[in-house]
Amino acid sequence: MNKDLISGFDLTPQDIAEIFRVTRTLKKKKYSAILNKKVIGLVFEKPSMRTRVSFEVGAHQLGARCLYLAPQDIKLGEREPIKDVARVLARYVDGIVARTFSHAYVEEFAELTDISVINGLSDMYHPCQALGDMYTIYERHGTCKGIKLAFVGDGNNVVHSLLAIAAKTGMHCTVATPKGYEPDASIWAQAADIAKLTGSRLTHTYDPREAVKGADYIYTDVWTSMGQEQQRKQRLRDFKSYQVNAALLKSVGKEYAIMHCMPVHRGEEITDEAMESPQSIVFDQAENRMHVQKAIMALLMGKRRPSKKAAKLKR
Ligand code: CP
Ligand code: NVA
């Protein structure tokens, strides 16, 4: 595995298989000393419940502790440049989980340090989410290959990492968005290139009914992501026919499960009825965030981790 987990594209199919294998073991065996006495810095520019708590509890179960650095503590890029924050932090802690607005900040942390950096969500990617989600699917079928996932909503950070992991695992993924909210074109092209090698089929449509037809999993996320609050009114208008609700779910035409990364804006991207239905597996997804992240931390920061020397500015 690479030193860092930044997008999902940085993992090979073998890395993903290894993460899933270790996840399975650590899900059964709650406590271990794999990260004994290590300290992991959580540098967060945005709010978080699942990511912060699952990293803190997961690290504790592996013998490490986390140090949560809230937006007001560090004031990334405002109080001092990222390149200074990264290099100082790397002398104190054994690993960093960064949740940032700008994706470039996560990349900078990774480039300038020789400790492992994990993206805990940026405006561009959310790899821990996608890995937790794919593990949730994997443990239900024993594989991701050939499973059909339909994502309905905004072509955002969560979709970008889902596309990366779907392409790498041979999963089929159809994304339905309104015009103007498609996934990033270069990320799509990158995923499509990988998909050709693994047999994954990636398709985009503007029609949510077409997307969900025959899908095994129907996935949605908020229409207004963190940092986009100013656009909320416009987005509510643009996305209104993309709600996951009883009418849309009728088009699936087979057994399916409903997924959401949470937090959920009930009544916007999904109805309360769909969220609370027996098909909803959202709490399994949320739980698996912790198990998968324990595996990621163990593999990146555990004893065997080779150190890849960073970086132009490291001294
Ligand atoms: N899904 C997720 O990342 O949740 P939080 O924003 O609460 O961490
Ligand atoms: N797309 C959402 C995901 C939250 C976990 C956001 O960035 O706010």
Side-chain angles (χ1 to χ4, degrees), residues 44 46-54 99 120-121 126 128-129 158 219 221 226 260-263 286 289 293:
F44 278 37
K46 296 176 178 176
S48 169
M49 193 273 267
R50 275 146 293 273
T51 307
R52 177 186 174 180
V53 176
S54 54
R99 169 168 285 206
L121 180 148
H126 197 2
C128 297
Q129 182 68 51
V158 169
Y219 196 127
D221 181 17
M226 291 179 276
H260 193 306
C261 55
M262 305 176 90
R289 288 289 305 276
Q293 287 161 196

mmCIF file of all heavy atoms in Angstrom, residues 44 46-54 99 120-121 126 128-129 158 219 221 226 260-263 286 289 293, ligand 1:
data_model
loop_
_atom_site.group_PDB
_atom_site.id
_atom_site.type_symbol
_atom_site.label_atom_id
_atom_site.label_comp_id
_atom_site.label_asym_id
_atom_site.label_seq_id
_atom_site.Cartn_x
_atom_site.Cartn_y
_atom_site.Cartn_z
ATOM 1 N N PHE A 44 -9.299 18.630 11.601
ATOM 2 C CA PHE A 44 -10.622 18.756 10.987
ATOM 3 C C PHE A 44 -10.994 20.217 10.759
ATOM 4 O O PHE A 44 -11.031 20.997 11.694
ATOM 5 C CB PHE A 44 -11.689 18.071 11.864
ATOM 6 C CG PHE A 44 -11.776 16.568 11.665
ATOM 7 C CD1 PHE A 44 -10.641 15.805 11.444
ATOM 8 C CD2 PHE A 44 -13.001 15.921 11.701
ATOM 9 C CE1 PHE A 44 -10.716 14.424 11.245
ATOM 10 C CE2 PHE A 44 -13.090 14.548 11.506
ATOM 11 C CZ PHE A 44 -11.949 13.791 11.278
ATOM 12 N N LYS A 46 -13.931 20.762 9.057
ATOM 13 C CA LYS A 46 -15.392 20.697 8.920
ATOM 14 C C LYS A 46 -15.950 19.874 10.066
ATOM 15 O O LYS A 46 -15.219 19.066 10.642
ATOM 16 C CB LYS A 46 -15.775 19.973 7.618
ATOM 17 C CG LYS A 46 -15.352 20.663 6.336
ATOM 18 C CD LYS A 46 -15.718 19.776 5.136
ATOM 19 C CE LYS A 46 -15.359 20.438 3.828
ATOM 20 N NZ LYS A 46 -15.613 19.579 2.660
ATOM 21 N N PRO A 47 -17.250 20.024 10.353
ATOM 22 C CA PRO A 47 -17.835 19.196 11.411
ATOM 23 C C PRO A 47 -17.813 17.717 11.049
ATOM 24 O O PRO A 47 -17.698 17.369 9.871
ATOM 25 C CB PRO A 47 -19.292 19.674 11.493
ATOM 26 C CG PRO A 47 -19.433 20.808 10.575
ATOM 27 C CD PRO A 47 -18.226 20.895 9.703
ATOM 28 N N SER A 48 -17.941 16.862 12.052
ATOM 29 C CA SER A 48 -17.983 15.420 11.809
ATOM 30 C C SER A 48 -18.537 14.727 13.040
ATOM 31 O O SER A 48 -18.255 15.126 14.166
ATOM 32 C CB SER A 48 -16.577 14.892 11.537
ATOM 33 O OG SER A 48 -16.578 13.492 11.544
ATOM 34 N N MET A 49 -19.302 13.688 12.821
ATOM 35 C CA MET A 49 -19.705 12.816 13.921
ATOM 36 C C MET A 49 -19.093 11.449 13.671
ATOM 37 O O MET A 49 -18.171 11.010 14.361
ATOM 38 C CB MET A 49 -21.241 12.754 14.027
ATOM 39 C CG MET A 49 -21.710 12.140 15.322
ATOM 40 S SD MET A 49 -21.831 10.381 15.239
ATOM 41 C CE MET A 49 -23.543 10.194 14.787
ATOM 42 N N ARG A 50 -19.559 10.769 12.598
ATOM 43 C CA ARG A 50 -19.099 9.413 12.302
ATOM 44 C C ARG A 50 -17.576 9.315 12.167
ATOM 45 O O ARG A 50 -16.938 8.453 12.775
ATOM 46 C CB ARG A 50 -19.728 8.887 10.998
ATOM 47 C CG ARG A 50 -21.087 8.271 11.164
ATOM 48 C CD ARG A 50 -21.916 8.543 9.936
ATOM 49 N NE ARG A 50 -22.180 9.969 9.885
ATOM 50 C CZ ARG A 50 -23.208 10.552 10.488
ATOM 51 N NH1 ARG A 50 -24.077 9.818 11.123
ATOM 52 N NH2 ARG A 50 -23.379 11.867 10.450
ATOM 53 N N THR A 51 -17.004 10.177 11.341
ATOM 54 C CA THR A 51 -15.581 10.042 11.032
ATOM 55 C C THR A 51 -14.736 10.240 12.287
ATOM 56 O O THR A 51 -13.861 9.433 12.602
ATOM 57 C CB THR A 51 -15.190 11.030 9.927
ATOM 58 O OG1 THR A 51 -16.078 10.827 8.829
ATOM 59 C CG2 THR A 51 -13.756 10.835 9.473
ATOM 60 N N ARG A 52 -15.049 11.307 13.006
ATOM 61 C CA ARG A 52 -14.257 11.580 14.208
ATOM 62 C C ARG A 52 -14.413 10.466 15.238
ATOM 63 O O ARG A 52 -13.424 9.928 15.747
ATOM 64 C CB ARG A 52 -14.693 12.918 14.829
ATOM 65 C CG ARG A 52 -13.946 13.170 16.100
ATOM 66 C CD ARG A 52 -14.397 14.383 16.847
ATOM 67 N NE ARG A 52 -13.698 14.432 18.132
ATOM 68 C CZ ARG A 52 -13.866 15.372 19.026
ATOM 69 N NH1 ARG A 52 -14.690 16.372 18.790
ATOM 70 N NH2 ARG A 52 -13.210 15.341 20.167
ATOM 71 N N VAL A 53 -15.657 10.104 15.534
ATOM 72 C CA VAL A 53 -15.876 9.122 16.606
ATOM 73 C C VAL A 53 -15.335 7.752 16.202
ATOM 74 O O VAL A 53 -14.697 7.055 16.989
ATOM 75 C CB VAL A 53 -17.382 9.046 16.980
ATOM 76 C CG1 VAL A 53 -17.616 7.967 18.028
ATOM 77 C CG2 VAL A 53 -17.870 10.403 17.478
ATOM 78 N N SER A 54 -15.557 7.366 14.925
ATOM 79 C CA SER A 54 -15.099 6.022 14.521
ATOM 80 C C SER A 54 -13.575 5.945 14.493
ATOM 81 O O SER A 54 -13.001 4.906 14.827
ATOM 82 C CB SER A 54 -15.711 5.610 13.181
ATOM 83 O OG SER A 54 -15.472 6.575 12.186
ATOM 84 N N ARG A 99 -9.584 16.277 7.538
ATOM 85 C CA ARG A 99 -10.879 16.604 6.903
ATOM 86 C C ARG A 99 -10.809 18.083 6.517
ATOM 87 O O ARG A 99 -10.783 18.958 7.385
ATOM 88 C CB ARG A 99 -12.030 16.330 7.860
ATOM 89 C CG ARG A 99 -13.337 16.892 7.344
ATOM 90 C CD ARG A 99 -14.558 16.403 8.095
ATOM 91 N NE ARG A 99 -14.886 15.044 7.732
ATOM 92 C CZ ARG A 99 -16.122 14.521 7.823
ATOM 93 N NH1 ARG A 99 -17.127 15.240 8.259
ATOM 94 N NH2 ARG A 99 -16.346 13.271 7.466
ATOM 95 N N GLY A 120 -9.983 12.171 5.582
ATOM 96 C CA GLY A 120 -11.236 11.951 6.310
ATOM 97 C C GLY A 120 -12.388 12.716 5.697
ATOM 98 O O GLY A 120 -13.389 12.933 6.367
ATOM 99 N N LEU A 121 -12.262 13.104 4.470
ATOM 100 C CA LEU A 121 -13.219 13.832 3.608
ATOM 101 C C LEU A 121 -12.617 15.173 3.203
ATOM 102 O O LEU A 121 -12.183 15.960 4.048
ATOM 103 C CB LEU A 121 -14.582 14.082 4.289
ATOM 104 C CG LEU A 121 -15.658 14.838 3.488
ATOM 105 C CD1 LEU A 121 -17.070 14.365 3.851
ATOM 106 C CD2 LEU A 121 -15.568 16.356 3.699
ATOM 107 N N HIS A 126 -13.940 11.082 -0.509
ATOM 108 C CA HIS A 126 -14.227 10.565 0.840
ATOM 109 C C HIS A 126 -13.921 9.062 0.830
ATOM 110 O O HIS A 126 -14.820 8.215 0.898
ATOM 111 C CB HIS A 126 -15.695 10.843 1.192
ATOM 112 C CG HIS A 126 -16.018 10.748 2.653
ATOM 113 N ND1 HIS A 126 -15.066 10.483 3.613
ATOM 114 C CD2 HIS A 126 -17.192 10.892 3.328
ATOM 115 C CE1 HIS A 126 -15.647 10.471 4.803
ATOM 116 N NE2 HIS A 126 -16.937 10.707 4.651
ATOM 117 N N CYS A 128 -12.598 6.848 2.939
ATOM 118 C CA CYS A 128 -12.948 5.961 4.065
ATOM 119 C C CYS A 128 -14.427 5.594 3.995
ATOM 120 O O CYS A 128 -14.821 4.465 4.320
ATOM 121 C CB CYS A 128 -12.643 6.650 5.395
ATOM 122 S SG CYS A 128 -10.902 7.007 5.607
ATOM 123 N N GLN A 129 -15.236 6.556 3.548
ATOM 124 C CA GLN A 129 -16.658 6.282 3.379
ATOM 125 C C GLN A 129 -16.864 5.198 2.321
ATOM 126 O O GLN A 129 -17.572 4.207 2.535
ATOM 127 C CB GLN A 129 -17.378 7.576 2.948
ATOM 128 C CG GLN A 129 -18.874 7.407 2.780
ATOM 129 C CD GLN A 129 -19.569 7.167 4.103
ATOM 130 O OE1 GLN A 129 -19.383 7.905 5.051
ATOM 131 N NE2 GLN A 129 -20.366 6.111 4.194
ATOM 132 N N VAL A 158 -18.339 11.936 -2.261
ATOM 133 C CA VAL A 158 -18.651 10.532 -1.957
ATOM 134 C C VAL A 158 -18.693 9.726 -3.259
ATOM 135 O O VAL A 158 -18.108 8.645 -3.358
ATOM 136 C CB VAL A 158 -19.993 10.440 -1.183
ATOM 137 C CG1 VAL A 158 -20.480 9.003 -1.088
ATOM 138 C CG2 VAL A 158 -19.829 11.041 0.213
ATOM 139 N N TYR A 219 -28.108 4.254 -3.639
ATOM 140 C CA TYR A 219 -27.297 5.064 -2.718
ATOM 141 C C TYR A 219 -27.605 6.538 -2.976
ATOM 142 O O TYR A 219 -27.702 6.967 -4.128
ATOM 143 C CB TYR A 219 -25.815 4.783 -3.025
ATOM 144 C CG TYR A 219 -24.815 5.221 -1.968
ATOM 145 C CD1 TYR A 219 -23.880 4.326 -1.455
ATOM 146 C CD2 TYR A 219 -24.766 6.535 -1.512
ATOM 147 C CE1 TYR A 219 -22.940 4.718 -0.504
ATOM 148 C CE2 TYR A 219 -23.840 6.925 -0.552
ATOM 149 C CZ TYR A 219 -22.926 6.016 -0.053
ATOM 150 O OH TYR A 219 -22.007 6.404 0.887
ATOM 151 N N ASP A 221 -26.851 10.725 -1.205
ATOM 152 C CA ASP A 221 -26.125 11.586 -0.258
ATOM 153 C C ASP A 221 -26.823 12.953 -0.287
ATOM 154 O O ASP A 221 -27.625 13.230 -1.200
ATOM 155 C CB ASP A 221 -24.649 11.693 -0.695
ATOM 156 C CG ASP A 221 -23.800 12.558 0.239
ATOM 157 O OD1 ASP A 221 -24.235 12.820 1.382
ATOM 158 O OD2 ASP A 221 -22.699 12.984 -0.177
ATOM 159 N N MET A 226 -21.217 19.988 2.921
ATOM 160 C CA MET A 226 -20.609 20.979 3.820
ATOM 161 C C MET A 226 -19.801 21.985 2.999
ATOM 162 O O MET A 226 -19.002 21.589 2.152
ATOM 163 C CB MET A 226 -19.702 20.270 4.834
ATOM 164 C CG MET A 226 -20.472 19.427 5.827
ATOM 165 S SD MET A 226 -19.394 18.585 7.000
ATOM 166 C CE MET A 226 -18.917 17.132 6.084
ATOM 167 N N HIS A 260 -26.846 5.214 2.407
ATOM 168 C CA HIS A 260 -26.639 6.666 2.569
ATOM 169 C C HIS A 260 -25.431 6.827 3.481
ATOM 170 O O HIS A 260 -25.314 6.107 4.487
ATOM 171 C CB HIS A 260 -27.884 7.297 3.194
ATOM 172 C CG HIS A 260 -27.925 8.795 3.119
ATOM 173 N ND1 HIS A 260 -26.900 9.602 3.576
ATOM 174 C CD2 HIS A 260 -28.869 9.635 2.631
ATOM 175 C CE1 HIS A 260 -27.230 10.881 3.371
ATOM 176 N NE2 HIS A 260 -28.413 10.931 2.793
ATOM 177 N N CYS A 261 -24.547 7.759 3.151
ATOM 178 C CA CYS A 261 -23.347 7.899 3.979
ATOM 179 C C CYS A 261 -23.638 8.583 5.311
ATOM 180 O O CYS A 261 -22.864 8.455 6.247
ATOM 181 C CB CYS A 261 -22.282 8.680 3.213
ATOM 182 S SG CYS A 261 -22.873 10.271 2.622
ATOM 183 N N MET A 262 -24.773 9.320 5.395
ATOM 184 C CA MET A 262 -25.151 10.108 6.572
ATOM 185 C C MET A 262 -24.139 11.254 6.792
ATOM 186 O O MET A 262 -22.984 11.049 6.492
ATOM 187 C CB MET A 262 -25.268 9.245 7.832
ATOM 188 C CG MET A 262 -26.221 8.061 7.663
ATOM 189 S SD MET A 262 -26.251 7.008 9.141
ATOM 190 C CE MET A 262 -27.576 7.800 10.056
ATOM 191 N N PRO A 263 -24.528 12.390 7.317
ATOM 192 C CA PRO A 263 -25.846 12.706 7.860
ATOM 193 C C PRO A 263 -26.921 12.784 6.771
ATOM 194 O O PRO A 263 -26.618 13.108 5.630
ATOM 195 C CB PRO A 263 -25.648 14.074 8.530
ATOM 196 C CG PRO A 263 -24.480 14.682 7.846
ATOM 197 C CD PRO A 263 -23.602 13.545 7.433
ATOM 198 N N ALA A 286 -22.586 2.800 8.598
ATOM 199 C CA ALA A 286 -21.958 3.674 9.603
ATOM 200 C C ALA A 286 -21.061 2.843 10.528
ATOM 201 O O ALA A 286 -19.932 3.246 10.841
ATOM 202 C CB ALA A 286 -23.034 4.416 10.387
ATOM 203 N N ARG A 289 -17.732 1.834 8.944
ATOM 204 C CA ARG A 289 -16.698 2.867 8.868
ATOM 205 C C ARG A 289 -15.599 2.579 9.883
ATOM 206 O O ARG A 289 -14.406 2.661 9.586
ATOM 207 C CB ARG A 289 -17.308 4.256 9.177
ATOM 208 C CG ARG A 289 -18.195 4.849 8.105
ATOM 209 C CD ARG A 289 -17.404 5.282 6.893
ATOM 210 N NE ARG A 289 -16.338 6.212 7.236
ATOM 211 C CZ ARG A 289 -16.494 7.518 7.388
ATOM 212 N NH1 ARG A 289 -17.671 8.081 7.206
ATOM 213 N NH2 ARG A 289 -15.462 8.297 7.692
ATOM 214 N N GLN A 293 -11.780 1.494 8.987
ATOM 215 C CA GLN A 293 -10.731 2.461 9.348
ATOM 216 C C GLN A 293 -9.709 1.853 10.306
ATOM 217 O O GLN A 293 -8.530 2.212 10.256
ATOM 218 C CB GLN A 293 -11.366 3.724 9.942
ATOM 219 C CG GLN A 293 -12.053 4.550 8.874
ATOM 220 C CD GLN A 293 -13.069 5.546 9.416
ATOM 221 O OE1 GLN A 293 -13.876 6.033 8.648
ATOM 222 N NE2 GLN A 293 -13.052 5.835 10.697
HETATM 223 N N1 CP B 1 -20.397 10.039 6.749
HETATM 224 C C1 CP B 1 -19.593 10.869 7.436
HETATM 225 O O1 CP B 1 -18.439 11.098 7.056
HETATM 226 O O2 CP B 1 -20.159 11.417 8.537
HETATM 227 P P1 CP B 1 -19.554 12.602 9.405
HETATM 228 O O3 CP B 1 -19.586 13.838 8.548
HETATM 229 O O4 CP B 1 -20.461 12.704 10.608
HETATM 230 O O5 CP B 1 -18.149 12.264 9.794
#
